[in-house]
Amino acid sequence: MPPLPPSFYLGDTVAIARAMVGKYLVRASGGVTLAVRIAETEAYAAAGDRACHAYGGRRTARNEVMFGPPGRAYIYFTYGTHHCLNLVTGPEGEAAAVLVRGALPVLGGDEMARRRFGRPLGELSARQRRDLLNGPGKLCQALGLTRAENGLPLDGPELWAAEDLTGLGLPPPEPVGEVRTGRRVGIAYAGEAVEFPWRFWLAEGYTEVKVK
């Protein structure tokens, strides 16, 4: 179960966003290991993308990690309520990232449910189970990711992405199946970029975040 290497994140950001659907994300902290299968992503590339935090070359303390080497976590705090995890892509100096918008629990589901709802997975309602990880803030809450983890490398030991989790004793992954494409969420301010089909999600077994 080797982590995806930094070179994986060097390609085209939109293609990487599509490729990340079905990959696994592992969070190890405080003696607890949690794992999810990525089910929904969005691509953000500074060049020509008004929805990107670094559009027009804008460089701030908040988005500095986006300009750094690929294969690192860019985590920001938004709306004063939740954190969002992004995977930095592209060559160093060219700000781009993939937002992990939603996932499915694979390992440590009870712990993730407790962090989200205060009780184990088996005690959640059908709606709570559906809403466990289908949003970037929900995902970060469940995995315990905050600005303190901003800049972490995505090849471990605290956070990593992988093709499969057989190294953790889990079976080989099921095929990804159909991946749908559509507009990104919550970017009404972004001019023509609103229409970019840069969001990707699993067609089966996952309830994606709806465009508003």
Side-chain angles (χ1 to χ4, degrees):
M1 189 199 60
L4 297 174
S7 59
F8 175 87
Y9 304 94
L10 265 175
D12 175 75
T13 299
V14 177
I16 293 170
R18 168 62 177 79
M20 287 306 301
V21 176
K23 298 293 191 290
Y24 292 88
L25 189 67
V26 183
R27 167 75 165 132
S29 176
V32 176
T33 299
L34 307 172
V36 301
R37 194 173 197 188
I38 296 173
E40 185 173 6
T41 64
E42 290 180 346
Y44 288 87
D49 183 6
R50 293 178 182 272
C52 181
H53 288 174
Y55 174 68
R58 184 170 181 265
R59 194 163 185 164
T60 67
R62 182 198 195 200
N63 70 10
E64 180 65 27
V65 172
M66 290 186 75
F67 292 87
R72 292 183 179 269
Y74 167 44
I75 302 175
Y76 62 86
F77 190 59
T78 185
Y79 298 120
T81 57
H82 59 264
H83 292 86
C84 296
L85 169 66
N86 300 260
L87 317 176
V88 176
T89 60
E92 189 166 358
E94 296 182 15
V98 172
L99 171 66
V100 183
R101 180 164 283 286
L104 297 167
V106 175
L107 182 66
D110 284 343
E111 177 61 23
M112 288 186 271
R114 289 189 186 96
R115 294 179 181 187
R116 289 273 293 116
F117 299 108
R119 52 187 180 277
L121 199 60
E123 296 180 11
L124 301 186
S125 67
R127 180 173 181 175
Q128 288 172 330
R129 290 173 67 93
R130 184 182 67 243
D131 292 345
L132 181 64
L133 300 173
N134 68 334
K138 300 171 187 179
L139 176 70
C140 283
Q141 182 184 14
L143 296 181
L145 294 172
T146 69
R147 283 285 295 175
E149 285 70 47
N150 186 47
L152 277 180
L154 295 171
D155 55 1
E158 296 179 60
L159 183 68
W160 69 93
E163 290 277 0
D164 66 71
L165 298 182
T166 54
L168 293 180
L170 297 175
E174 294 290 330
V176 171
E178 180 188 356
V179 175
R180 292 179 179 164
T181 303
R183 294 185 293 123
R184 293 171 295 178
V185 177
I187 58 166
Y189 59 86
E192 69 281 357
V194 169
E195 300 300 328
F196 293 176
W198 287 3
R199 182 169 64 106
F200 306 92
W201 68 94
L202 289 176
E204 300 294 334
Y206 171 72
T207 302
E208 77 276 9
V209 175
K210 301 298 183 181
V211 174
K212 297 180 180 179

